[in-house]
Each structure stands twice: as structure tokens, then as C-alpha cells.
């Protein structure tokens, strides 16, 4: 038995990716942003309306009657599932993220969202804060494991073409560090 196994190993040949036609999966190049108070996600901002329209155009048979109570939620979920399948990005996720005008997320937004405003803001100040939120289809986060599992450049190019604009870093609404 051991001599048969030994002969099998002697004849075993290792194929290179070029010989088999398979390529080594290389994630697209991306610089991880500086750590923020909340987890950050890299992805594509999409409106609920865009997702619903996408599902209606590409998978209408999977949708309930338009008068159904949860029609919009189901349509957005079907769009997400379809986009994940089309793109081959199976770790695609959906997150609500802050959408500040002018770049950085105001500290008041973070305090309000985290519930840390009791000592800092009175009721009038709290009501005056308008927090702008955006839905994001995320391909990775700034956490080590997720960052290393980001898709290939080819998949990102497909997503960009499908959605019609490029991805960017977004600060998530929920702190999960």
C-alpha cells in the first residue's frame, strides 16, 4: 500500500494557474481610511426608489402585488439579491450610512445616533439636527477581515457600470467596533 501511494506521489504534477486557466483572485486596490468613531463601508449609494425600479425591471415575477403591505421592502431585497448574483459579489451587504454635505460627518450626528446627547443638547437643539442617511450596497468595510475579502477589480467595474456611478467610503450609522 505504501509503495502504491509513493508511486502516485511520484507521478503527481502540480499545475500553475496559467496551465489550468484559473487565475489567482486578487482584490481590487483600495486604501483603508483612517479609523472613525463608527465602522466605515466601501460601496455604492442607491436610493430605495432605484432598487425598487431595478427589481421591477429585472425580476418583476418575484414581486408581490404592488398593493401588498411590504411591497417596497420585498422589491428592495429582490434587487439586492439580483445585483449580488449578477455581480458575483456574494458578500455584498446593505447598510444605512451617514450622508453629510461637504464630506465629514458632524459629531452631533454621531452623538444623536448613539444616544449620547442627553448632557450636550437640549430638546430644541436635538429637533434642529437633520441627519441625512443614505442606503449603501457595501462590498467591504474597514475591518481587517472584510477589507481583505473585497472583490476583484473586474467585479467592481461591473458594479460601477450596473449602478451608474462609482463607490466611495461611507461612515455607517451604527457603531460596531
Amino acid at each position: 500500500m505504501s509503495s502504491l501511494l509513493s508511486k502516485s506521489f511520484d507521478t503527481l504534477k502540480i499545475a500553475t494557474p496559467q496551465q489550468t486557466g484559473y487565475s489567482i483572485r486578487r482584490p481590487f486596490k483600495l486604501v483603508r481610511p483612517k479609523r472613525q468613531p463608527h465602522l466605515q463601508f466601501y460601496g455604492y449609494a442607491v436610493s430605495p426608489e432605484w432598487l425598487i425600479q431595478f427589481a421591477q425591471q429585472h425580476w418583476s415575477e418575484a414581486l408581490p402585488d404592488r398593493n401588498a403591505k411590504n411591497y417596497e421592502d420585498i422589491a428592495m431585497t429582490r434587487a439586492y439579491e439580483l445585483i449580488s448574483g449578477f455581480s458575483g459579489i456574494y458578500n455584498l451587504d446593505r447598510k444605512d450610512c451617514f450622508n453629510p454635505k461637504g464630506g465629514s460627518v458632524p459629531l452631533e450626528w454621531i452623538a444623536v445616533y448613539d444616544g449620547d446627547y442627553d448632557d450636550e443638547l437640549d430638546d430644541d437643539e436635538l429637533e434642529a439636527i437633520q441627519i441625512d442617511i443614505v442606503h449603501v450596497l457595501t462590498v467591504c468595510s474597514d475591518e481587517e477581515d472584510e477589507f481583505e475579502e473585497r472583490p476583484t477589480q473586474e467585479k467592481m467595474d461591473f458594479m460601477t457600470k450596473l449602478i451608474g456611478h462609482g463607490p466611495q467610503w461611507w461612515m455607517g450609522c451604527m457603531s460596531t467596533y
Side-chain angles (χ1 to χ4, degrees):
M1 176 90 166
S2 65
S3 67
L4 179 60
L5 188 58
S6 177
K7 287 180 184 179
S8 294
F9 279 119
D10 289 342
T11 61
L12 181 67
K13 293 186 180 179
I14 306 293
T16 66
Q18 293 81 13
Q19 292 168 325
T20 63
Y22 292 104
S23 62
I24 296 172
R25 183 195 169 290
R26 288 197 174 90
F28 72 98
K29 292 183 180 182
L30 182 64
V31 175
R32 191 176 321 183
K34 186 180 110 185
R35 195 171 178 121
Q36 297 293 324
H38 283 201
L39 193 60
Q40 296 173 93
F41 299 96
Y42 193 74
Y44 300 86
V46 291
S47 69
E49 296 79 18
W50 187 92
L51 288 169
I52 292 166
Q53 185 178 25
F54 188 87
Q56 290 169 341
Q57 290 176 350
H58 299 285
W59 204 7
S60 60
E61 64 275 11
L63 299 177
D65 181 78
R66 287 182 191 251
N67 296 324
K69 179 180 165 184
N70 54 356
Y71 177 81
E72 290 182 351
D73 290 335
I74 291 172
M76 290 189 300
T77 299
R78 293 297 174 261
Y80 159 76
E81 293 168 346
L82 197 57
I83 292 166
S84 178
F86 279 172
S87 67
I89 302 174
Y90 300 112
N91 62 340
L92 190 70
D93 202 355
R94 299 172 289 178
K95 299 290 181 186
D96 286 333
C97 297
F98 293 120
N99 188 24
K101 305 294 186 253
S104 61
V105 175
L107 295 177
E108 301 86 46
W109 289 14
I110 296 169
V112 169
Y113 221 89
D114 289 348
D116 299 333
Y117 53 82
D118 292 338
D119 297 335
E120 299 171 27
L121 304 171
D122 63 35
D123 289 342
D124 291 335
E125 290 173 314
L126 190 57
E127 287 181 25
I129 296 175
Q130 298 295 314
I131 300 176
D132 192 11
I133 303 295
V134 65
H135 301 288
V136 178
L137 295 179
T138 68
V139 298
C140 69
S141 76
D142 62 348
E143 285 189 309
E144 183 69 33
D145 291 345
E146 277 195 37
F147 187 79
E148 293 307 320
E149 292 298 317
R150 60 194 187 280
T152 63
Q153 185 63 54
E154 180 181 56
K155 290 178 180 181
M156 292 300 295
D157 291 345
F158 178 86
M159 282 288 290
T160 299
K161 186 175 180 182
L162 181 71
I163 293 176
H165 62 82
Q168 71 178 57
W169 282 107
W170 300 91
M171 185 188 298
C173 293
M174 300 302 290
S175 178
T176 53
Y177 282 121

